[in-house]
Amino acid sequence: MKIIFINVKRALSRSGLPDLDYALNPYMGCYHGCIYCYARLYTWINEIRENWGEIVAVKKNLINVLEKEIKYFRKGVVGVGTITDPYQPVEAIYELTRRSIELLLRHGFHVSIQTKNTLILRDTDLLTKHRDNVDVGFTITSLNNKKSRLYEPRASPPSMRAYALKQLSIRGIDTWIFYGPVIPGYNDDLDTRTKIIELARETGSRILIDSIHVKKFMYNKNHPLHQLIPIIRNYPWKRFLSETIKLCREYNVECIPGFAEPSKKESTLDSFMH
Ligand code: SF4
């Protein structure tokens, strides 16, 4: 992996996602290299976009910029890692996520973190101390480590994500699971859904669900999801969603549908959850 360094003018940006006032992304690009990742579409450095997963930019002046912004920005909820994973491996070296979160929490912001990496456990002390102003979501598309490796090659195995989720939950931190994207033939089966719902029940987490959206990069014939485009378009999403919500109710788990029925056209959402 290649690491580059960039300067930014803004640390916090307005978020287009529900329940978030701001978004903060300490890095640009993501080493995890998930095959379905939409983040590349919101990445303005071509080199990173075209070599997704191979190049990560470290925002070297991020903390200085954030220190200035938090003095005059209205307090609110900051989504940490909306277009990159904030705990991808470079974070072990540069600690931009930890330092940003520390600053935000000290100044009365709420942080909502989403990750697929167990490196977040390094910050258990900080998250526990500020648990009233923190929520943590793990993306768990499947609990099958082998299958996940094909779709999320360099993220922590889902069994480890489940372990981390339990560790944070038992410390009283508000936790949630992002079950998305749901990809026909990969993680839409009953067994996968049941295991994710059981984990949510065990950890007192709510579940957010999102379906796969067809994106331009999938039209490339060599893309692993290319063959699925017609299947995604004709998939019975409404039925899938109502069955899943029913299953959640049986387990007494809160289940929140995101964008469960993808548009027939390419989605124009300007924010996403990874
Ligand atoms: S989906 Fe998330 S974890 Fe995966 S490559 Fe994209 S930003 Fe990283």
Side-chain angles (χ1 to χ4, degrees):
M1 184 191 65
K2 182 174 158 189
I3 298 176
I4 60 174
F5 296 90
I6 58 171
N7 280 315
V8 287
K9 290 197 176 110
R10 300 281 300 269
L12 296 173
S13 57
R14 287 275 162 203
S15 169
L17 288 167
D19 303 328
L20 300 180
D21 298 303
Y22 308 102
L24 181 122
N25 289 287
Y27 306 99
M28 189 183 290
C30 186
Y31 176 71
H32 289 163
C34 305
I35 63 160
Y36 53 74
C37 182
Y38 312 149
R40 70 191 87 192
L41 301 171
Y42 308 106
T43 302
W44 52 266
I45 299 178
N46 287 344
E47 194 191 3
I48 296 180
R49 201 171 50 230
E50 283 156 21
N51 299 282
W52 192 250
E54 305 302 324
I55 305 169
V56 175
V58 175
K59 298 181 179 177
K60 62 178 180 177
N61 64 337
L62 183 86
I63 303 301
N64 289 342
V65 176
L66 185 61
E67 274 171 343
K68 287 179 194 141
E69 287 180 349
I70 52 177
K71 286 184 190 145
Y72 60 85
F73 274 38
R74 186 176 53 81
K75 307 278 178 279
V77 181
V78 181
V80 178
T82 57
I83 52 168
T84 186
D85 195 308
Y87 284 99
Q88 60 176 301
V90 283
E91 168 61 14
I93 307 169
Y94 300 102
E95 298 194 357
L96 290 184
T97 299
R98 182 179 173 102
R99 285 152 64 203
S100 304
I101 290 171
E102 264 178 332
L103 255 178
L104 289 164
L105 290 169
R106 213 167 49 234
H107 286 82
F109 288 80
H110 179 105
V111 298
S112 178
I113 304 166
Q114 187 179 358
T115 186
K116 287 191 184 103
N117 200 305
T118 55
L119 178 61
I120 191 171
L121 290 181
R122 179 201 64 188
D123 294 345
T124 302
D125 59 336
L126 179 65
L127 302 174
T128 307
K129 184 175 162 199
H130 294 278
R131 64 184 146 223
D132 292 343
N133 282 315
V134 168
D135 65 82
V136 175
F138 277 88
T139 304
I140 298 184
T141 54
S142 155
L143 281 160
N144 181 321
N145 288 353
K146 234 175 163 176
K147 273 207 302 188
S148 157
R149 205 167 166 74
L150 298 173
Y151 288 79
E152 302 156 345
R154 294 189 290 257
S156 299
S159 58
M160 293 302 294
R161 290 179 230 168
Y163 168 79
L165 184 72
K166 289 176 196 169
Q167 291 302 308
L168 297 177
S169 160
I170 57 175
R171 286 169 175 79
I173 293 164
D174 179 25
T175 54
W176 46 278
I177 294 172
F178 182 62
Y179 170 34
V182 177
I183 302 174
Y186 162 53
N187 60 348
D188 60 333
D189 56 287
L190 186 60
D191 184 55
T192 300
R193 280 184 274 175
T194 306
K195 286 193 171 114
I196 290 174
I197 293 169
E198 282 172 348
L199 176 64
R201 182 174 64 178
E202 188 185 341
T203 55
S205 307
R206 59 198 170 281
I207 299 179
L208 280 70
I209 310 182
D210 192 15
S211 55
I212 183 84
H213 297 262
V214 173
K215 299 287 182 184
K216 216 176 235 167
F217 60 84
M218 296 175 195
Y219 287 102
N220 178 334
K221 285 194 169 55
N222 297 321
H223 192 276
L225 295 175
H226 180 76
Q227 303 293 338
L228 275 184
I229 292 175
I231 297 168
I232 294 167
R233 293 231 156 103
N234 295 305
Y235 192 83
W237 291 107
K238 274 190 182 143
R239 195 173 73 210
F240 170 84
L241 186 62
S242 65
E243 280 173 9
T244 309
I245 290 175
K246 192 166 165 253
L247 201 58
C248 282
R249 282 202 194 112
E250 284 166 23
Y251 281 81
N252 207 16
V253 166
E254 186 186 2
C255 180
I256 304 163
F259 311 98
E261 186 166 25
S263 155
K264 301 271 179 204
K265 293 186 188 144
E266 190 187 344
S267 170
T268 53
L269 289 170
D270 60 358
S271 296
F272 89 111
M273 301 177 80
H274 65 100

